[in-house]
């Protein structure tokens, strides 16, 4: 009986110590500014342009140094070309599903991102959503720093894994492998830190 009680006490103490070292899960908000263009394999000539995003984030901690970091972001990306007839403004819901490694405030993140196209317009303001793939896959790599107050700042690269435009588009846009290429500066705040 003493042995069972001692074993149970040891398990409870170990579980309590592990729980005490795991930070509390958090939810928060994210704002981002980016510079975006299209990587191409043909005659399409992309120009860097501003991009914007805002939304929600969460951190689900598995240990003090590892968390799952999903986000849901409303994003505006402006894919401009030297030929303005080929420029497109696209809004998305971006869903990054990131793994984060934490080291005393510093964090590194990586993972896939699923982007759902909401709207697409050309320079004349016409609806050209039929040119755009409704779901686009990207990959994300980033690093940042989080203060104990919950405020964080991060740099992120968001690269296209699939094409932004459908292959059957009737212009040069649809005849090339055009993938997004965006660098983001993000500021976030996590509640519950």
């Amino acid at each position: 009986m003493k042995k069972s009680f001692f074993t149970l006490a040891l398990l409870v103490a170990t579980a309590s110590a592990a729980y005490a070292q795991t930070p509390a899960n958090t939810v928060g908000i994210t704002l981002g500014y980016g510079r975006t263009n299209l990587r191409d394999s043909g005659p399409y000539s992309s120009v860097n342009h501003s991009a914007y995003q805002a939304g929600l984030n969460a951190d689900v901690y598995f240990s003090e140094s590892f968390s799952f970091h999903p986000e849901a972001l409303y994003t505006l990306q402006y894919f401009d070309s030297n030929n303005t007839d080929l420029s497109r403004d696209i809004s998305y819901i971006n869903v990054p599903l990131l793994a984060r490694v934490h080291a005393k405030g510093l964090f590194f993140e990586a993972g896939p991102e699923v982007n759902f196209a909401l709207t697409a317009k050309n320079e004349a303001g016409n609806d050209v959503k039929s040119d755009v793939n409704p779901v686009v896959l990207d990959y994300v790599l980033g690093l940042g720093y989080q203060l104990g107050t919950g405020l964080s700042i991060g740099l992120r690269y968001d690269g296209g894994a699939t094409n932004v435009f459908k292959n059957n588009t009737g212009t040069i846009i649809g005849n090339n492998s055009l993938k997004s290429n965006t660098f983001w500066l993000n500021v976030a705040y996590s509640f519950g830190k």
Side-chain angles (χ1 to χ4, degrees), residues 101-118:
V101 176
H102 303 267
K104 297 187 180 187
L106 189 65
F107 63 82
F108 302 92
E109 60 188 7
E113 178 178 274
V114 183
N115 304 320
F116 301 94
L118 299 176

Side-chain angles (χ1 to χ4, degrees), residues 87-125:
S87 295
R88 300 290 186 263
D89 301 344
I90 305 174
S91 65
Y92 289 102
I93 294 294
N94 292 5
V95 182
L97 303 169
L98 308 177
R100 275 194 174 177
V101 176
H102 303 267
K104 297 187 180 187
L106 189 65
F107 63 82
F108 302 92
E109 60 188 7
E113 178 178 274
V114 183
N115 304 320
F116 301 94
L118 299 176
T119 64
K121 298 191 180 300
N122 63 15
E123 289 296 297

Side-chain angles (χ1 to χ4, degrees), residues 168-187:
N168 62 358
T169 303
T171 67
I172 199 172
I173 289 175
N175 298 325
N176 296 284
S177 298
L178 298 173
K179 296 176 173 63
S180 66
N181 187 46
T182 309
F183 288 92
W184 292 101
L185 172 64
N186 291 331
V187 176

Side-chain angles (χ1 to χ4, degrees), residues 121-182:
K121 298 191 180 300
N122 63 15
E123 289 296 297
N126 300 320
D127 183 359
V128 290
K129 189 175 176 188
S130 60
D131 293 352
V132 176
N133 280 318
V135 178
V136 178
L137 300 178
D138 290 357
Y139 58 91
V140 175
L141 301 169
L143 61 93
Y145 191 82
Q146 185 163 34
L147 300 170
T149 61
L151 186 65
S152 67
I153 188 165
L155 294 173
R156 184 180 283 180
Y157 174 72
D158 187 338
T162 60
N163 296 338
V164 172
F165 299 102
K166 295 177 181 175
N167 287 333
N168 62 358
T169 303
T171 67
I172 199 172
I173 289 175
N175 298 325
N176 296 284
S177 298
L178 298 173
K179 296 176 173 63
S180 66
N181 187 46
T182 309

Side-chain angles (χ1 to χ4, degrees), residues 4-22:
S4 297
F5 181 74
F6 178 73
T7 303
L8 182 60
L10 184 61
L11 285 172
V12 169
T14 303
S16 298
Y19 182 75
Q21 292 175 356
T22 303

Side-chain angles (χ1 to χ4, degrees), residues 17-30:
Y19 182 75
Q21 292 175 356
T22 303
N25 297 334
T26 62
V27 294
I29 56 174
T30 299

